[in-house]
Amino acid sequence: MSRLPRTVCAVAGAAALVAATAGVAVSAPSSSHSLPGSVPSWATATHRVGSVSASQSVTFRVYLNNRGGAAAAAYARAVSTPGNALYGKFLTTAQYRARFSPSQSDVNTVSSWLQSQGFRVTGVPSNRKYVEATGTLAQASKTFATSFAEYSTQGRTVRSNTSPLQVPSKLTQVQAVVGLDESQTLVRPNKPTPPPPVFRNAGPCSTYWGQKTVDNTATPDGTELPNSPSAFAPCGYSGAQLQGLYGMTDAIAAGNDGSGVTVGIIDAYASPTIESDANTYFSRHGIPTFTKGQFRQYAAPGTSQHPENPAHDPEGWAGEETLDVEAVHTMAPGANIAYIGAPNNYRDMDAIMNKVVSKHLADIVSNSYGYAGESLPPGYIKPQVDTQIQAAAEGISLFFSSGDSGDETFGVAGATPTPDWPASSPWVTAVGGTSAGVSKTNSRVFELGWETTKSTLNSTTPPTWSDPAYLYGSGGGTSRLFAQPSYQAGVVPASIANTYGGPAMRAVPDVAALGDPNTGMLVGETQRFPDGHDAYSEYRIGGTSLASPLYAGMFALAVQKAGHNFGLANPTLYATAGAQSIDITKAERDAYPGDVRSDFVNGVDASDGYVYSARWFDRDESLTIHVRPGYDDVTGIGVPDGEAWLDAVAGD
């Protein structure tokens, strides 16, 4: 995704905004109060670029406070922490609703108020966490005593309210209003996306690390290449290669394959060919195909028929679903998979997570999406944290990819280093990425932090590579929103935790797995080719969108071995790190500096020729996050170390 602001037309100041809501009263109702954190940080005068139509339809959610204040968080923390008297005493969804969810009377009060303002109430989830309503921006302006405008941020033009939202003082149960501003449209899959709508690997590429090199394999068009780096990129690892990389082969063969555990995957939209694509892929790569009922897809009717447009891109999200499903099943071929697709990639992403938790659709959830940094309104973040807390209280473990843009400073002048949200939440396990080599016998050759730079081929004799420039890498850094959780105390170095000179703060990521697309996973899906026909095809891809489902799949093996759920996984993962997780350092960087990529110019075939590049591993000189011994803000506490990791996490 482009990080550069697009050209926008200036407007003539506030006059245009007044015209947009002409005739609409925006004065605060008598005896009202402002909702804290209800204006995004990017909704400033300098970012304002246009007006909005007052007649525009809008659907939003009024989130309600939990009962008992911080009691739900305290309970979730206790049941997820080994050694606590409440450890493992998870609540059912019904018990959680009865103890902590907003009351039905609170729902009725808020629903009646919204209806009195002319809104149509369209839904309330089973945990009563919010009331959804639909109306116009004119109604919203009057009801919440604000106006609306368009703003430019992260290369997008999005809507926001211009001032804090106001609600009647008597509505103390209102926590936040989500959906009036368009913060949710900034969500993105955490993977470097191949050129849509089709992408194919070009040769030469290696079946395993080091099989084909510049010395032993000629390029298909006769192009001469420098002799370093020497290895051609793998075609993409699959099946036994990925199981072997993390030492899970024997455990899976012995039946510790995730059986009895359900892994949920949350994305937007739904691929109409996912099950047949996945089974074709598994049969080609030595993984058992899905048994009847092992894979379930939950999606709103008509989701797969959404026309593609720049705002929605359902085809791009179908690739994300394919990657997630095939990665989880590769590492946990016995686990059930529940795919839950939001009908859009806007406000419904948070609602789908709430649905998964409130209906307990999974024991583990892998999420391969996120926002660039933490610059979302706090009023948007707090309801999501409450959902994550409910997940932990019910024994559900949440894994989020940490992002693919390092510390989010690359390409953005004056940007402040920041981890991505929701990975920065202390209630989720943030999964960073690595670059890895897998041998002919499916063992680990090397594993480095995923921070990749790219060089292009110079027209010189002899051939040389251009100076490398940062391309992408594992997201990480220190949160500005969340204090250091207890499970990171004494593990995360002060140089990271105290980055801002104040109290210790939450550091990201927690753990890591394979993420670099240049040593990534081979996936298979139905793609549309230039002549208009659809066909199954395979290609290499990566990103922390790969790392998260790989780790979630391995965690399913640990849940099966333990015989119980974990809730928030981090207290256990940090307590059992040590020798059970492999610490990723820079020790092997000189021996394995990078690989050579051969790509089709048009992304599909050789008709337009080839382009060659060098991809250099673990090059973080332009970033504020770095791999180092012990915990680091690129790979966290490290990657799983086979059955030793399984035994430690399971408590054996």
Short mmCIF file of all heavy atoms in Angstrom, two decimals, residues 2 75 121 138 207 231 287 366 402 486 492 498 525 529 531:
data_model
loop_
_atom_site.label_atom_id
_atom_site.label_comp_id
_atom_site.label_asym_id
_atom_site.label_seq_id
_atom_site.Cartn_x
_atom_site.Cartn_y
_atom_site.Cartn_z
N SER A 2 0.51 2.20 -0.82
CA SER A 2 1.28 3.43 -0.88
C SER A 2 1.16 4.20 0.42
O SER A 2 0.09 4.30 1.01
CB SER A 2 0.77 4.31 -2.04
OG SER A 2 1.37 5.56 -2.00
N TYR A 75 -10.20 -9.87 35.98
CA TYR A 75 -10.52 -11.30 35.91
C TYR A 75 -9.80 -11.96 34.73
O TYR A 75 -9.23 -13.05 34.87
CB TYR A 75 -12.03 -11.50 35.78
CG TYR A 75 -12.44 -12.95 35.94
CD1 TYR A 75 -12.71 -13.47 37.21
CD2 TYR A 75 -12.52 -13.81 34.85
CE1 TYR A 75 -13.05 -14.81 37.38
CE2 TYR A 75 -12.85 -15.14 35.00
CZ TYR A 75 -13.12 -15.64 36.27
OH TYR A 75 -13.44 -16.96 36.44
N VAL A 121 -32.57 1.82 14.65
CA VAL A 121 -31.71 0.85 15.33
C VAL A 121 -31.70 -0.43 14.53
O VAL A 121 -32.75 -1.01 14.24
CB VAL A 121 -32.20 0.60 16.77
CG1 VAL A 121 -31.41 -0.55 17.42
CG2 VAL A 121 -32.05 1.88 17.61
N ALA A 138 -26.69 14.53 8.55
CA ALA A 138 -27.42 15.67 9.11
C ALA A 138 -27.97 15.32 10.49
O ALA A 138 -27.88 16.11 11.44
CB ALA A 138 -28.56 16.07 8.18
N THR A 207 13.78 -24.97 -4.79
CA THR A 207 12.84 -25.78 -4.01
C THR A 207 13.18 -25.72 -2.53
O THR A 207 12.30 -25.76 -1.67
CB THR A 207 12.87 -27.24 -4.50
OG1 THR A 207 12.57 -27.27 -5.89
CG2 THR A 207 11.86 -28.09 -3.75
N ALA A 231 22.46 -17.08 -3.62
CA ALA A 231 21.30 -17.97 -3.68
C ALA A 231 20.12 -17.32 -4.38
O ALA A 231 19.79 -16.15 -4.12
CB ALA A 231 20.90 -18.38 -2.27
N ILE A 287 -0.09 -32.50 2.60
CA ILE A 287 -0.85 -32.18 3.80
C ILE A 287 -2.24 -32.80 3.66
O ILE A 287 -2.84 -32.73 2.59
CB ILE A 287 -0.98 -30.65 3.98
CG1 ILE A 287 0.40 -30.01 4.10
CG2 ILE A 287 -1.84 -30.31 5.20
CD1 ILE A 287 1.17 -30.38 5.34
N SER A 366 -6.50 -15.93 14.66
CA SER A 366 -5.39 -15.28 13.97
C SER A 366 -5.94 -14.13 13.13
O SER A 366 -6.89 -14.30 12.37
CB SER A 366 -4.68 -16.28 13.05
OG SER A 366 -3.65 -15.64 12.31
N SER A 402 2.13 -8.20 13.33
CA SER A 402 2.67 -6.94 13.86
C SER A 402 2.83 -5.86 12.81
O SER A 402 3.16 -4.73 13.14
CB SER A 402 4.02 -7.19 14.54
OG SER A 402 5.03 -7.48 13.59
N SER A 486 2.54 -6.73 32.89
CA SER A 486 3.39 -7.42 33.86
C SER A 486 4.21 -8.53 33.23
O SER A 486 5.34 -8.78 33.66
CB SER A 486 2.52 -7.99 34.99
OG SER A 486 1.54 -8.89 34.47
N VAL A 492 11.72 -7.27 28.76
CA VAL A 492 11.99 -6.24 27.75
C VAL A 492 13.02 -5.26 28.29
O VAL A 492 12.84 -4.70 29.38
CB VAL A 492 10.70 -5.49 27.37
CG1 VAL A 492 10.99 -4.37 26.39
CG2 VAL A 492 9.67 -6.46 26.79
N ASN A 498 11.45 1.98 27.91
CA ASN A 498 11.47 3.39 28.34
C ASN A 498 11.91 4.31 27.21
O ASN A 498 12.55 5.34 27.44
CB ASN A 498 12.41 3.55 29.54
CG ASN A 498 11.97 2.71 30.73
OD1 ASN A 498 12.53 1.65 30.97
ND2 ASN A 498 10.95 3.17 31.45
N GLU A 525 -4.23 -20.52 -5.06
CA GLU A 525 -5.59 -20.02 -5.12
C GLU A 525 -6.02 -19.84 -6.57
O GLU A 525 -5.19 -19.81 -7.49
CB GLU A 525 -5.73 -18.68 -4.38
CG GLU A 525 -5.06 -17.50 -5.06
CD GLU A 525 -5.43 -16.15 -4.46
OE1 GLU A 525 -6.63 -15.93 -4.21
OE2 GLU A 525 -4.53 -15.34 -4.25
N PHE A 529 -6.53 -14.65 -14.91
CA PHE A 529 -5.41 -14.37 -15.80
C PHE A 529 -5.78 -13.30 -16.82
O PHE A 529 -6.96 -12.98 -17.02
CB PHE A 529 -4.97 -15.68 -16.47
CG PHE A 529 -4.21 -16.59 -15.54
CD1 PHE A 529 -4.87 -17.35 -14.59
CD2 PHE A 529 -2.82 -16.63 -15.58
CE1 PHE A 529 -4.18 -18.16 -13.71
CE2 PHE A 529 -2.12 -17.44 -14.71
CZ PHE A 529 -2.79 -18.21 -13.77
N ASP A 531 -6.16 -13.12 -19.93
CA ASP A 531 -7.13 -13.41 -21.00
C ASP A 531 -8.55 -13.59 -20.47
O ASP A 531 -9.47 -13.91 -21.21
CB ASP A 531 -6.71 -14.65 -21.78
CG ASP A 531 -6.68 -15.91 -20.92
OD1 ASP A 531 -7.02 -15.84 -19.72
OD2 ASP A 531 -6.30 -16.98 -21.45
#
